[in-house]
Amino acid sequence: MDNHFDNFGLEKASKAKFNLVGGQIKTAMRAAGKTADFFKIDPRKIQLLEDFNPRIKDRQYYEGTEDRPGIVDLAKSMKLNGYYTDKPLAGFVAKVDGEDVIYLTEGHRRLDAVLYWMDNLGGPEDFMVPFVPKPRGTTELDLNYALVEANKAVDFRPYELAMHIKRLHCMFGQTEALIATKAGMSVSHVKNLLAVAGAPESIAKMVLAEEISVTEAAEAIGKYGNQVETVLNQAKANSVAAGKTKVSKRFLPGERFKKEIKKESDTLFDAVRTVRDDNNYNALTEDTRKTLDELMERMSAMQKKLDEQEAQALAAAALAEAEEAAQESNGKDDVKDQEI
């Protein structure tokens, strides 16, 4: 793997800690804007914590996808409908070199959309955004968990979320179980995200492009270990050759053969039975006969078990039908008695 691979710039995000020290909220807010039911401040005076938000600002971020609106879409909505004041930005006021600085911790997409609206779509130059500061005493860990919750309206891309979960786990020492509880996920999903966060470059690219799900990527990593890149690269090639854009289990090497073998299972069973019944069977080596005998025993036992299960299912269905008929008959008799 390329030692210079930086996980699309998200490796720094997975390790980001800022040691924020609380500042004077009202002082900072008044300097940036004015108070009302909430603070309204100049969006250009809001500072960003570099690498805090793991979103990748690529073409998809700005132009969006079919199920994930981009910044341009959001800016156009603001131009048409205005800024919804019930969706304020949120942040932390920190004391930096003796000054109170407003850092954004929630609402990164909305801030980018506001700035795009102002810079490119004729938005008012003096526009003020609603802003809610986090109370003093809020920890950096609190801010990181809040970021996960705040971005559920338009979810992080799977790989972005994986790197953020890695930050919680590695930089803040949060256990998988605790992350699952506080971030509203299953433990298994947290484990899968952490597996993907440490994946080789080619797999990371597949997850980022959403060509493979986090679950299937993590399962492949666990199953194939250091061979996983080779296996999933082959699976991707198989997917592309089939005219598909997603990598799934059915495209893994050997899966098509297994599928075809299942189709021929009856023929193979009959073939083994024919060999067993052949007059020259004893001419085979002892090891070969043992292999075939054990195979026939397993297949015969499986067939017997399945036949018994089918017979039981049929008997249960007949019994249920009889009971239903009896209940219906009793119901009719009750009606007749009432009529008499």
Side-chain angles (χ1 to χ4, degrees):
M1 191 176 79
D2 183 357
N3 291 329
H4 298 293
F5 172 55
D6 69 351
N7 300 67
F8 317 99
L10 293 187
E11 189 61 36
K12 292 188 296 181
S14 73
K15 299 177 181 178
K17 289 188 76 174
F18 303 97
N19 299 318
L20 296 172
V21 177
Q24 295 296 321
I25 293 175
K26 289 185 178 180
T27 300
M29 293 299 108
R30 287 169 181 161
K34 57 185 179 181
T35 59
D37 294 333
F38 42 69
F39 294 100
K40 299 192 75 172
I41 64 176
D42 182 348
R44 301 189 190 280
K45 292 186 178 180
I46 299 172
Q47 302 296 310
L48 299 179
L49 292 164
E50 186 178 0
D51 300 319
F52 176 71
N53 190 305
R55 289 195 189 274
I56 299 170
K57 295 188 178 183
D58 55 6
R59 183 173 180 175
Q60 184 183 132
Y61 178 77
Y62 286 97
E63 296 184 2
T65 62
E66 185 175 340
D67 59 351
R68 187 181 287 127
I71 298 305
V72 176
D73 296 317
L74 192 53
K76 288 179 178 178
S77 174
M78 290 179 180
K79 179 178 181 179
L80 182 64
N81 303 305
Y83 188 104
Y84 293 128
T85 55
D86 62 339
K87 299 288 189 286
L89 306 180
F92 186 86
V93 176
K95 184 72 74 174
V96 180
D97 296 330
E99 294 189 10
D100 296 301
V101 180
I102 304 169
Y103 285 114
L104 183 71
T105 60
E106 296 172 30
H108 293 76
R109 281 169 42 85
R110 294 193 295 281
L111 177 61
D112 280 345
V114 165
L115 295 175
Y116 190 92
W117 174 31
M118 295 170 69
D119 293 339
N120 300 283
L121 300 178
E125 294 183 4
D126 59 349
F127 185 75
M128 308 285 269
V129 291
F131 189 94
V132 177
K134 296 289 185 179
R136 295 190 68 178
T138 300
T139 68
E140 193 170 334
L141 180 59
D142 294 333
L143 298 177
N144 275 276
Y145 274 117
L147 184 65
V148 176
E149 187 64 31
N151 281 274
K152 287 183 177 179
V154 179
D155 290 337
F156 287 125
R157 284 183 259 178
Y159 193 76
E160 295 168 341
L161 180 60
M163 298 306 286
H164 189 63
I165 295 303
K166 179 181 177 181
R167 184 198 301 172
L168 287 168
H169 184 59
C170 297
M171 302 305 295
F172 291 91
Q174 301 291 283
T175 65
E176 294 164 349
L178 186 57
I179 293 172
T181 299
K182 297 188 72 172
M185 305 174 187
S186 66
V187 174
S188 62
H189 189 51
V190 171
K191 289 181 177 180
N192 289 343
L193 288 166
L194 290 173
V196 164
E201 178 179 359
S202 61
I203 299 173
K205 286 181 177 178
M206 288 185 202
V207 176
L208 179 65
E210 299 182 55
E211 295 170 342
I212 187 171
S213 71
V214 166
T215 299
E216 295 200 341
E219 288 178 354
I221 291 168
K223 182 175 181 179
Y224 298 106
N226 62 357
Q227 297 298 314
V228 69
E229 273 194 285
T230 300
V231 170
L232 287 185
N233 285 336
Q234 178 64 63
K236 181 176 179 179
N238 294 341
S239 171
V240 172
K244 304 297 182 181
T245 59
K246 300 287 185 181
V247 177
S248 59
K249 290 179 182 177
R250 67 192 181 103
F251 292 115
L252 291 172
E255 287 300 314
R256 292 180 63 189
F257 178 71
K258 291 178 183 178
K259 184 178 180 180
E260 294 303 318
I261 283 291
K262 289 180 181 179
K263 293 179 182 178
E264 300 296 330
S265 58
D266 289 342
T267 302
L268 290 171
F269 184 43
D270 291 340
V272 173
R273 185 158 45 196
T274 299
V275 172
R276 277 278 306 273
D277 295 340
D278 192 280
N279 292 331
N280 294 318
Y281 182 68
N282 289 330
L284 298 174
T285 65
E286 182 179 351
D287 287 343
T288 300
R289 292 199 309 274
K290 182 180 179 182
T291 299
L292 290 172
D293 289 342
E294 290 176 351
L295 178 60
M296 278 301 298
E297 287 176 9
R298 290 199 305 271
M299 296 178 74
S300 296
M302 183 187 301
Q303 186 179 44
K304 181 180 179 181
K305 180 180 178 180
L306 293 174
D307 286 344
E308 289 175 351
Q309 289 177 348
E310 289 182 357
Q312 291 171 359
L314 189 61
L319 179 61
E321 185 176 352
E323 290 177 348
E324 185 178 350
Q327 290 176 356
E328 184 177 349
S329 177
N330 291 336
K332 290 180 179 179
D333 290 341
D334 291 341
V335 171
K336 288 181 179 180
D337 290 342
Q338 291 174 5
E339 290 177 347
I340 292 174

